Amino acid sequence: MLDIKYLRDNFAAAEKALATRSGKVDLSGFQMLDQQRRELLNEVEALKAEKNKVSALIGQTKDKSQVQGEISRMKEVSAQIKILDDRLREVADNLSELLMGVPNIPHPQSPVGASEDDNVEVRTWGDKPALNFTPKAHWDVGEGLGILDFERASKLSGARFCVYFGAGARLERALINFMLDLHTTEHGYTETLPPFLVNRASMTGTGQLPKFESDLFHTEDVDLFLIPTAEVPVTNLHRDEILAETDLPICYAAYTPCFRKEAGSHGKDTRGLIRQHQFNKVEMVKFVRPEDSDAELESLLGNAEKVLQLLQLPYRVVDLCTGDIGFSASRTFDIEVWLPGQECYREISSCSTFSDFQARRASIRFRREGAKKPELVHTINGSGLAIGRTLLAVLENYQQEDGSVLIPEVLQPYMGGMTKIVK
RNA sequence: GGAGGAGUGGCCGAGUGGCUUAAGGCGGCGGUCUUGAAAACCGUUGAACGCAAGUUCCGUGGGUUCAAAUCCUACCUCCUCCGCCA
């Protein structure tokens, strides 16, 4: 959520900045609702002050017959307060509904652009593998080895699911453990294992609700949602809390499965592991002081890159343009891994700062040493990394002409010393 | 699932309709005393909106009343017991 005061005082600038995003942002009605709300608030508060004063007086008067007139007058004032309170609530609800639907202001350094074609490549790392045969896509590699089974998964659950067998299942588990170990022992993150189902308040706090309910799986008999990313439960860990400045930065790493409906992407990436309804991910989440947020995003991005470097997978880093960043984010760097089977880079991590946007929605604050008023923290998060996409990248980059797949050195201890997956 | 009990400030905890501006304690902060510290004593110590006056917040939402932390009601959460269960 944007700061209502900021929006009030910088309306034109905000409108201009938001126009660089994709999709129309409708701010019409804000100024009228905001003014109405403040007028009603003034009016109703004056009446309440009057009521409180007179009621205290009535309380002090022993002989109530002396104040019968005041009592009946207060009866009317109370009725009036009720009417105004109802109107105020309606206006305030409309205003907050409007504000909840407004995306974050892009970071001043985010490149301005209309679509992903305008994203800026920041750097590339690693050499694309020189294969002296035509590389296969990971679904062919995986099915050839009998470690991935899309057909049986669709029998169990439908499209966009996968069953892993044998070394494939173990490779997925190895990647999870490898990444968690790296972030917790080398990068200073605290491991968390949160619930995979969360309530409406949590989904609203990080920005998935109210606008993107159709992307979420929802349970029928109780009002809970399957998490689309660990960002949701982990960021909401400190919802409605005031943190100590000395506690910051707080850094969490969490493995969770993620569930996404992928509504609106029918026909896109229908084959393989790229776009699944359920996938595993290790996520990094930080709570930081505002002045540290740019540097903390850089270091989180570096932590994610380190995973690919240790796995020896070539990648590039892309600075997303204003037209391509997500609803709650103000700046996003994507890491895209090279896939020789498809001859393209594909997103494997998305690292974003949300400035104070999520912190304001979820009321996550901190108090500076000696300061009286609490301030909003900045929240930052990024995948470190998406597990399924990492596995797929390993299959495509480490495939051999005979259909086998070498296991990256750093994963071998996690695979019981296995160096190669063969049929 | 059934039966009871409970939710009050950072924490503990008093408070069954109007001097509550939420007592008291613990913790935190500042001070006095001290070579220094401890102890003792004194003071101070929640949040939101507002330029301010002021308003709101005692789990959440409704209701009763001139007046609600306090009464009614629905819901949520936690605890105890019973049942079921990995």
Side-chain angles (χ1 to χ4, degrees):
Chain A
M1 196 162 70
L2 297 180
D3 182 6
I4 191 162
K5 272 184 241 167
Y6 166 82
L7 204 52
R8 193 180 292 149
D9 299 338
N10 305 275
F11 190 76
E15 228 176 8
K16 197 175 154 207
L18 290 170
T20 64
R21 281 180 162 274
S22 72
K24 270 220 176 81
V25 180
D26 187 13
L27 284 176
S28 70
F30 166 78
Q31 285 163 315
M32 195 193 69
L33 284 170
D34 181 46
Q35 201 191 337
Q36 270 182 9
R37 191 188 72 91
R38 291 203 287 167
E39 279 168 8
L40 280 168
L41 197 65
N42 263 320
E43 203 179 336
V44 77
E45 284 190 355
L47 281 178
K48 281 179 181 174
E50 164 85 356
K51 182 194 78 173
N52 288 345
K53 221 165 75 185
V54 176
S55 289
L57 224 85
I58 293 170
Q60 281 161 23
T61 311
K62 292 241 159 54
D63 182 2
K64 299 289 188 245
S65 65
Q66 283 179 4
V67 286
Q68 268 318 312
E70 295 294 60
I71 287 180
S72 59
R73 190 163 71 83
M74 284 307 105
K75 201 169 187 144
E76 277 167 39
V77 168
S78 272
Q80 185 63 19
I81 287 173
K82 198 172 143 41
I83 291 167
L84 289 177
D85 260 343
D86 285 348
R87 266 182 37 209
L88 177 62
R89 187 173 328 114
E90 201 188 315
V91 170
D93 284 352
N94 289 341
L95 183 61
S96 100
E97 196 189 315
L98 186 147
L99 281 174
M100 284 303 212
V102 176
N104 201 356
I105 304 256
H107 193 285
Q109 281 163 36
S110 281
V112 175
S115 75
E116 62 178 315
D117 300 332
D118 302 314
N119 293 343
V120 175
E121 183 179 289
V122 177
R123 58 179 164 269
T124 60
W125 183 94
D127 300 317
K128 298 171 183 172
L131 302 171
N132 53 4
F133 60 95
T134 308
K136 291 187 274 194
H138 66 275
W139 51 85
D140 289 329
V141 177
E143 285 175 332
L145 288 168
I147 59 174
L148 298 183
D149 190 335
F150 295 97
E151 240 174 83
R152 287 202 176 89
S154 87
K155 174 168 69 181
L156 302 181
S157 310
R160 297 202 190 282
F161 288 93
C162 182
V163 183
Y164 298 68
F165 287 102
R170 185 161 190 183
L171 184 57
E172 181 90 358
R173 186 156 56 88
L175 284 166
I176 294 168
N177 287 331
F178 162 65
M179 291 183 201
L180 277 176
D181 285 350
L182 176 68
H183 296 314
T184 55
T185 63
E186 305 288 322
H187 299 155
Y189 292 79
T190 302
E191 185 170 348
T192 63
L193 185 59
F196 306 155
L197 290 163
V198 299
N199 57 26
R200 237 165 235 286
S202 299
M203 283 294 184
T204 307
T206 32
Q208 281 74 21
L209 290 182
K211 244 188 140 173
F212 306 104
E213 183 156 357
S214 61
D215 295 337
L216 301 168
F217 286 103
H218 180 251
T219 56
E220 224 173 64
D221 45 355
V222 285
D223 193 21
L224 292 173
F225 296 88
L226 279 73
I227 56 169
T229 159
E231 162 192 343
V232 177
V234 176
T235 305
N236 277 281
L237 237 30
H238 295 298
R239 171 153 50 87
D240 295 321
E241 289 186 15
I242 299 174
L243 306 163
E245 183 178 20
T246 48
D247 290 341
L248 301 181
I250 296 175
C251 305
Y252 294 118
Y255 152 72
T256 70
C258 304
F259 304 91
R260 299 184 183 178
K261 275 197 180 167
E262 297 296 349
S265 52
H266 299 294
K268 236 193 224 172
D269 304 314
T270 49
R271 295 197 74 182
L273 284 174
I274 284 283
R275 198 175 295 274
Q276 299 267 292
H277 283 311
Q278 175 189 326
F279 62 95
N280 293 309
K281 182 156 62 72
V282 167
E283 183 79 2
M284 299 174 284
V285 178
K286 288 185 180 182
F287 303 81
V288 307
R289 297 187 303 182
E291 63 267 38
D292 300 332
S293 90
D294 287 352
E296 290 287 358
L297 174 60
E298 282 292 332
S299 85
L300 181 137
L301 175 63
N303 298 150
E305 285 180 65
K306 186 74 184 176
V307 177
L308 289 173
Q309 290 167 8
L310 290 171
L311 289 169
Q312 294 283 305
L313 290 170
Y315 66 86
R316 64 174 185 171
V317 175
V318 171
D319 193 351
L320 296 200
C321 77
T322 53
D324 201 28
I325 49 180
F327 178 80
S328 299
S330 93
R331 188 171 207 199
T332 300
F333 291 99
D334 274 3
I335 302 174
E336 299 180 343
V337 70
W338 174 251
L339 299 181
Q342 295 157 68
E343 276 193 272
C344 65
Y345 284 106
R346 290 303 303 252
E347 177 192 337
I348 198 167
S349 171
S350 196
C351 300
S352 307
T353 175
F354 299 85
S355 62
D356 59 12
F357 187 85
Q358 292 181 327
R360 185 172 297 105
R361 286 180 162 241
S363 186
I364 308 168
R365 295 173 291 172
F366 77 105
R367 203 188 311 271
R368 289 186 194 275
E369 286 304 304
K372 195 165 157 57
K373 265 187 94 67
E375 289 173 52
L376 294 168
V377 300
H378 278 199
T379 55
I380 292 170
N381 68 55
S383 354
L385 309 163
I387 304 295
R389 288 188 180 182
T390 309
L391 182 137
L392 137 205
V394 169
L395 295 188
E396 294 205 6
N397 281 278
Y398 282 83
Q399 62 180 301
Q400 305 297 300
E401 192 163 12
D402 63 3
S404 65
V405 170
L406 299 179
I407 292 172
E409 219 178 298
V410 288
L411 292 181
Q412 289 171 10
Y414 292 92
M415 295 290 287
M418 192 188 290
T419 57
K420 194 183 201 181
I421 302 176
V422 293
K423 186 159 174 101

